[in-house]
Structures are given as C-alpha cells and as structure tokens.
Amino acid sequence: MKNDAKTFSLAVAPVFPAHWTGVLDEAIPSLVKERFSPSESWKSKPFSKEDVLFFSKGLMELSGFFTTEREGETLPNYFTTAKFRSSYFLYFFGLQGAKFLTLFDRHPRAIEAALDHAKKTKVFRVIDVGSGPGTASLALLCFLLERFEKKKTKLPFRIELVWIDHNDSIMKDGAGLLAKIIARFPDLEGDIQLKTEARAWWKHPKGFDFDASLVLFGNVLNECPDDPRIFLQGLAPFLRDPKGGGVLLVEPAFREASQRLSRIRDEVALRESPLPVWGPCLHSGKCPLAQGKNWCHFSVPAELPGSFFRKFSIKLGGVREWLKFSFLWIASRDSEKPARPPKGLVRVVSDPIRTARGLQNLICRPERFTYENAKKKPVFRGDVIHDSLLQPGHPKSRN
C-alpha cells in the first residue's frame, strides 16, 4: 500500500543499511570462525556449507527456546553456552537487528530527536539494556553511519555505547564484532567508545546515569519474570525523565509480551504528568488491547539481507519473509513533542478476518477496539488509515 495523506502502511518493506549486509556476511562469519570453530584448523578457512551444517545444530535448539511462548517462565541462560552464542550471531542477531532497523526507518522524528540531543551534549549516548552482543545498538550504529555517509558529513559528536547484560562473555563477543565494524571505518577510530556492565539489568549501581540520547530494550521484558519489583527497580528509572529520542522497547509478538508493553504504555501515558509516545499508539486513551484475547503486534514484510542468514533460515524451515514483533517507543519531554495525528486517523491491528459481515479488521480506538470493514481494498495489520476508508457505522465494540 502506498503511503499518502490518508494511509501509512507497515506493509511497505523496510530498506536496510548497506553496511548491515557487510556485518552479516563478513564480520559475523569471521568472528564466529575465530571464536567458535571446533578446531584450530577451521579458524583460518572461509565460512562454508560445512560451517552451516555444523552451527545449525545449536541454532535449531536455540530457536526452540525463542519461539515458545512462556507463561511467567524465564529463558535459560543460553549465552553461557558457546554453541548458543555462535547460533545467536549467525541468525538471531540479523533477525533482531532488522526489527530495530525497521523501527528506526519508520520513526524518523524520533531519530531526529535523539540526534538533536546528541548535538547539544556532543555525545550520542546509547544505553542498550539486556544488550547481549549489542544487537540493537550495533544496528543503530550501522543506521547512523550510513546516514552521515550519504550526507558526506563527519559525525558531529562521539558515540558512547553502554551495554548492560548479566552475561559478560556475550558482551566480549559483541565487543569483538564492534571492533570489526570500526575497522571498516578507519576515520572513526576513537569516536566510538564502549562501556559494558555485567549485571542483572534491573540492579542499577549507585550513581548510574540514566540519561542518554536513546535507550534500547530488546526482548528484555519477555525474558524476565513479570515481577512488579523488577519493573519498579529496573524499568521505572528510565521512564521518569527520558531524554533525546526516549526509550524504545521491542518484544516478541507473543500475547503476554505485547500486553505487558500495553500496560507500561498506559502507566506512562495516563500518569499525572504523562509522557508522549512515538508509537504505535495514535491516541492518548487507555489501551484497549492490554488484556483479553487480542493484542497489539505487527508483521512487516522484509527481504532480510545476508546470504548466510538465508541459509540458516532454510535450515529452520524456510526463508524468513516477515518480521513479527510488538513495540513501544516512549518519547522524551525535552524533545519536540510527537504531533497529534490528524483527526480521523486510526490504527489497524489485525490482518483481514473473514466474518459473517465479510472481511473485517480490528481497529484500535481509545478505550476500545472494533471490528470494521474496509471500503475498497484490504487493509493490513499496522496500517494507519483514515476513518473515511472504513464502512460507515461502527459494528459493536469489543472491550
């Protein structure tokens, strides 16, 4: 669907930075060979089909952990095992990073707010919570480098990456990948700094600086217990007074994870001094999908880069053609406030559903959602459309 004054479609495939392909096809295979080869003789050889076969074993096991929805259970500490760390790099790094890149691409005003903050402070500080090997922040780094490279301008600030993860080994692996990325940009040596903190993400040391140009959470809440004390101690400090581009949380498209984001969104949007939201919400009322059988999540068609990523996708059952996730992007108070959408715009929160009334979609409205028919052509999950594109008269609301 073409984006215009009356529609905005998440069904438009994202454009990934050219450097992202280099990371997936060159830097990561090189890192994996160096650090995870079963014998010394393998380390100096190019990544091959034998490597794909060897590393696929751990990948399929790790995939089972990630693709099973858990009811209050936490994931095993998979990054302590070398076979799972290598599997993550070869497949899930590209998959998870692509979700963040899609959102960076879809929300340019949030990125501009982060850049404006960095230009004022002279440092683009990124806090990557539950960082693993720095997936989200390294995706952002590739996004920023391509942006400034296209404009043929130098970075107007230094970049400081702050990684927080309870597993020190995976952060060391990620630091090795960062070094390979920086080596591709010799002029940036000294302009990009990395700080790591090996700890539980919610146990902040005294004096920790929560201010940043952008804070990123990737699959963090999904992998920890739904314990109010964890959220109060760990997440709440980031949401008191975010700066720059605010706080972006990306979670799996599971119901429990998605509805957890909806509850967080309600907490910050409905407080006495509310925080604005970059997305996905178009209204400031209570989220109608924070409980019940339906939930707010998105499916984006995408041709994911990386020849080895494609090979591992096939090993897992087929070429990956969709990115599925839920997200919440909370804005800062010190940036230009996200403008209120033009009157009459609504968010589609399902693909077409065949009903007795014909093909209908779930439409998100303040305090409720409704099942409605599109007038002419189908609309899809994530689309932002005008009310005029829906049949007159709203069917019975569902709460």
Side-chain angles (χ1 to χ4, degrees):
M1 178 185 295
K2 182 180 179 181
N3 292 337
D4 55 34
K6 288 191 176 181
T7 66
F8 174 82
S9 179
L10 274 172
V12 177
V15 177
F16 298 108
H19 295 304
W20 187 245
T21 302
V23 169
L24 299 181
D25 273 350
E26 299 171 21
I28 285 180
S30 172
L31 180 84
V32 168
K33 291 286 283 193
E34 292 170 6
R35 297 190 175 223
F36 303 106
S37 289
S39 66
E40 287 293 324
S41 62
W42 279 36
K43 293 184 178 182
S44 59
K45 296 178 181 179
F47 206 88
S48 65
K49 62 181 181 181
E50 285 77 14
D51 293 290
V52 172
L53 182 63
F54 175 80
F55 288 109
S56 291
K57 300 172 185 176
L59 173 60
M60 287 186 279
E61 190 174 344
L62 184 59
S63 178
F65 292 147
F66 287 161
T67 55
T68 302
E69 184 164 6
R70 293 167 297 282
E71 295 293 337
E73 297 180 7
T74 57
L75 275 173
N77 191 356
Y78 49 89
F79 280 149
T80 59
T81 307
K83 70 174 179 178
F84 291 154
R85 297 207 306 275
S86 62
S87 298
Y88 183 91
F89 272 113
L90 291 168
Y91 182 76
F92 290 103
F93 184 96
L95 181 62
Q96 181 71 357
K99 298 175 184 179
F100 278 94
L101 288 167
T102 298
L103 291 168
F104 300 153
D105 181 61
R106 291 293 191 271
H107 291 274
R109 292 182 65 236
I111 294 296
E112 289 300 329
L115 289 169
D116 288 344
H117 178 267
K119 290 171 184 175
K120 292 175 184 176
T121 61
K122 305 301 181 183
V123 56
F124 197 116
R125 185 168 186 258
V126 184
I127 303 178
D128 193 341
V129 183
S131 64
T135 308
S137 50
L138 292 182
L140 177 64
L141 179 62
C142 290
F143 184 87
L144 294 177
L145 293 179
E146 176 146 312
R147 175 193 175 97
F148 285 100
E149 193 174 65
K150 284 183 176 179
K151 291 187 174 183
K152 298 182 179 180
T153 58
K154 293 185 177 180
L155 291 177
F157 40 68
R158 63 183 177 86
I159 296 176
E160 179 183 293
L161 306 180
V162 180
W163 293 354
I164 303 171
D165 198 282
H166 63 276
N167 190 289
D168 191 46
S169 297
I170 193 63
M171 289 193 291
K172 288 180 179 177
D173 293 334
L177 179 58
L178 174 60
K180 288 182 178 293
I181 294 173
I182 294 175
R184 300 167 66 92
F185 303 90
D187 293 344
L188 295 180
E189 188 173 355
D191 291 336
I192 302 175
Q193 299 177 348
L194 172 64
K195 297 180 180 179
T196 63
E197 298 192 12
R199 59 177 172 87
W201 71 270
W202 62 85
K203 295 182 178 179
H204 304 299
K206 186 176 181 180
F208 179 76
D209 184 2
F210 292 95
D211 286 351
S213 295
L214 188 59
V215 178
L216 304 171
F217 281 72
N219 286 356
V220 174
L221 308 184
N222 176 61
E223 297 185 11
C224 72
D226 192 1
D227 186 334
R229 294 171 296 179
I230 289 178
F231 288 83
L232 182 64
Q233 182 180 348
L235 181 60
F238 288 108
L239 304 182
R240 288 191 187 117
D241 188 22
K243 306 297 183 184
V247 182
L248 171 59
L249 304 100
V250 179
E251 294 289 323
F254 298 153
R255 179 172 64 179
E256 183 179 1
S258 303
Q259 291 184 336
R260 189 177 291 182
L261 289 184
S262 292
R263 293 193 294 273
I264 293 169
R265 178 262 180 201
D266 281 353
E267 194 281 322
V268 300
L270 302 178
R271 62 174 56 159
E272 184 175 345
S273 178
L275 287 171
V277 174
W278 293 112
C281 312
L282 300 182
H283 61 79
S284 57
K286 188 175 181 181
C287 175
L289 297 170
Q291 57 185 359
K293 69 176 184 178
N294 297 298
W295 64 97
C296 182
H297 63 288
F298 303 95
S299 300
V300 180
E303 185 176 342
L304 300 185
S307 59
F308 291 114
F309 178 89
R310 182 182 180 87
K311 288 181 172 64
F312 284 108
S313 294
I314 292 172
K315 285 289 183 182
L316 288 175
V319 175
R320 171 75 67 160
E321 296 178 334
W322 293 85
L323 292 171
K324 298 182 179 182
F325 56 87
S326 55
F327 81 98
L328 174 64
W329 200 328
I330 300 167
S332 61
R333 290 192 179 94
D334 62 349
S335 66
E336 178 188 355
K337 299 297 185 294
R340 285 193 174 186
K343 187 177 180 180
L345 289 186
V346 293
R347 172 81 73 179
V348 181
V349 289
S350 79
D351 289 325
I353 303 168
R354 191 170 298 280
T355 72
R357 294 175 177 264
L359 290 178
Q360 294 189 314
N361 295 82
L362 268 69
I363 307 298
C364 180
R365 299 182 180 278
E367 312 290 337
R368 74 193 200 284
F369 62 88
T370 56
Y371 286 86
E372 302 184 41
N373 301 75
K375 274 186 177 178
K376 297 180 180 179
K377 55 186 177 181
V379 293
F380 297 91
R381 185 187 304 277
D383 289 352
V384 173
I385 63 173
H386 195 273
D387 254 335
S388 62
L389 298 178
L390 297 169
Q391 296 284 5
H394 300 153
K396 184 179 179 181
S397 298
R398 306 284 185 91
N399 293 316

